[in-house]
Amino acid sequence: MQKNLIIITILFLFTSCANFLEVEPELAISDEQSITNGKGAAAALNGVYNKLASDSYHGVSFRFITNLSGDNLRWVGNSPSNREFDVFEVFTSNSRVESLWNAIYSTINGANHIISKVPDIQDQAFTDAERARILGEAYFIRALNYFDLVRLWGGIPIILKPTGSIEDGLGISRSDKAAVYEQILSDLEKAEQYLALNTIKSRASKGAVWAFRSTLYLYLERWQEAVNNANKVIEQTTLYQLNKSYSDFYLSKNTAESIFEIEYTINNRN
């Protein structure tokens, strides 16, 4: 009898330890669980900015691909995946292309979760102004994601609903370039409605929408609309001014000339 009690006690202690070791992840909470109140929505938006700034996206890969392909850089290392962009011979097996594609659509999915869930959040502490800001920034980032995609790949799949599994994305075909540009314009229109003018250069703002849309219209050769949106930015003299020295734009962060910057720190370098 005493031996049985000892065995039962050992089994109980082992089971308790096992349960204790099964800690719920705090840095990998799904959007279904996290976007339920104002704080969760703000945290989810920070996560989308982190995706935008990741090494697989604007932190490294997007800069490598566009600048090497545009002949602004020359590759002198020994990585074949990077050299392919420098010599204009990119193979389908290129790992950097795959990682960039995945990173952009992961960022889009994060924005989609916010756009889908934030309007229905029931939280008395969640103000209308904060709700609008978060939605506006999510629309802006999604527009930027599709702008990056269409410039590199042309027509691509347009995904506007959050996905949680591979099955959620089945049956979504490739859209043509015109449809992608229309979606970008639609997202920017919504972002403009929600966002305010602000001096925080590391967050999307109404001024950033105008500057982005001016650039977009240049791609579409809609010249007057490009001018109109650029003028809206130029007229905000208290928010945006040319730097006295051209080099300040590259040597300093968030200068008077900056409209929107992706934020990096000493602990999160690009």
Side-chain angles (χ1 to χ4, degrees):
M1 183 67 179
Q2 187 176 7
K3 183 183 294 184
N4 291 338
L5 284 173
I6 293 173
I7 293 172
I8 292 172
T9 302
I10 292 172
L11 288 173
F12 175 77
L13 289 172
F14 179 79
T15 303
S16 299
C17 289
N19 292 335
F20 175 76
L21 293 173
E22 293 176 2
V23 180
E24 289 294 325
E26 295 183 3
L27 298 178
I29 300 173
S30 68
D31 290 312
E32 288 81 357
Q33 293 176 291
S34 63
I35 308 179
T36 57
N37 54 36
K39 289 184 178 179
L45 180 62
N46 288 338
V48 174
Y49 275 105
N50 285 335
K51 291 176 183 286
L52 188 68
S54 70
D55 286 350
S56 295
Y57 195 178
H58 274 280
V60 178
S61 291
F62 186 80
R63 299 297 154 194
F64 269 176
I65 290 174
T66 54
N67 284 287
L68 283 170
S69 300
D71 215 23
N72 295 321
L73 299 175
R74 186 169 68 90
W75 183 252
V76 295
N78 56 10
S79 171
S81 62
N82 291 327
R83 182 179 179 276
E84 290 172 15
F85 302 109
D86 195 24
V87 298
F88 309 109
E89 293 181 0
V90 182
F91 296 96
T92 56
S93 59
N94 189 288
S95 59
R96 195 170 288 283
V97 172
E98 181 181 2
S99 67
L100 176 61
W101 175 274
N102 291 337
I104 296 177
Y105 272 105
S106 176
T107 310
I108 288 172
N109 196 41
N112 284 343
H113 274 285
I114 292 172
I115 292 168
S116 173
K117 296 176 175 62
V118 165
D120 298 325
I121 289 177
Q122 302 297 319
D123 180 2
Q124 292 183 347
F126 195 32
T127 65
D128 290 341
E130 186 68 3
R131 189 191 305 268
R133 181 188 66 78
I134 289 174
L135 281 171
E137 291 185 38
Y139 275 114
F140 178 90
I141 292 174
R142 190 171 74 177
L144 180 58
N145 299 153
Y146 280 116
F147 190 48
D148 291 340
L149 282 169
V150 74
R151 287 183 294 166
L152 288 175
W153 281 278
I156 41 85
I158 299 174
I159 302 174
L160 304 178
K161 295 182 179 180
T163 59
S165 65
I166 296 175
E167 288 72 21
D168 292 336
L170 293 177
I172 300 176
S173 60
R174 180 178 183 178
S175 299
D176 60 25
K177 288 175 64 175
V180 180
Y181 279 118
E182 285 303 314
Q183 181 58 51
I184 297 169
L185 286 170
S186 175
D187 279 351
L188 288 179
E189 182 179 353
K190 293 184 176 69
E192 182 180 17
Q193 294 171 359
Y194 286 119
L195 291 172
L197 286 166
N198 64 54
T199 57
I200 304 175
K201 305 298 180 73
S202 60
R203 313 292 293 205
S205 65
K206 197 183 291 288
V209 171
W210 295 334
F212 183 176
R213 196 157 53 197
S214 178
T215 302
L216 180 63
Y217 282 136
L218 290 177
Y219 277 81
L220 298 176
E221 299 183 3
R222 293 161 63 170
W223 313 120
Q224 190 56 53
E225 289 166 296
V227 170
N228 294 342
N229 279 272
N231 282 336
K232 290 181 179 180
V233 178
I234 294 170
E235 290 166 359
Q236 301 298 321
T237 56
T238 58
L239 293 177
Y240 313 114
Q241 299 174 8
L242 294 178
N243 295 323
K244 293 182 178 180
S245 172
Y246 182 75
S247 61
D248 288 346
F249 190 77
Y250 296 97
L251 299 177
S252 303
K253 293 173 59 175
N254 302 319
T255 67
E257 190 171 332
S258 174
I259 299 171
F260 173 71
E261 293 186 21
I262 297 175
E263 189 74 26
Y264 292 94
T265 66
I266 193 67
N267 296 318
N268 180 29
R269 300 182 178 187
N270 68 327

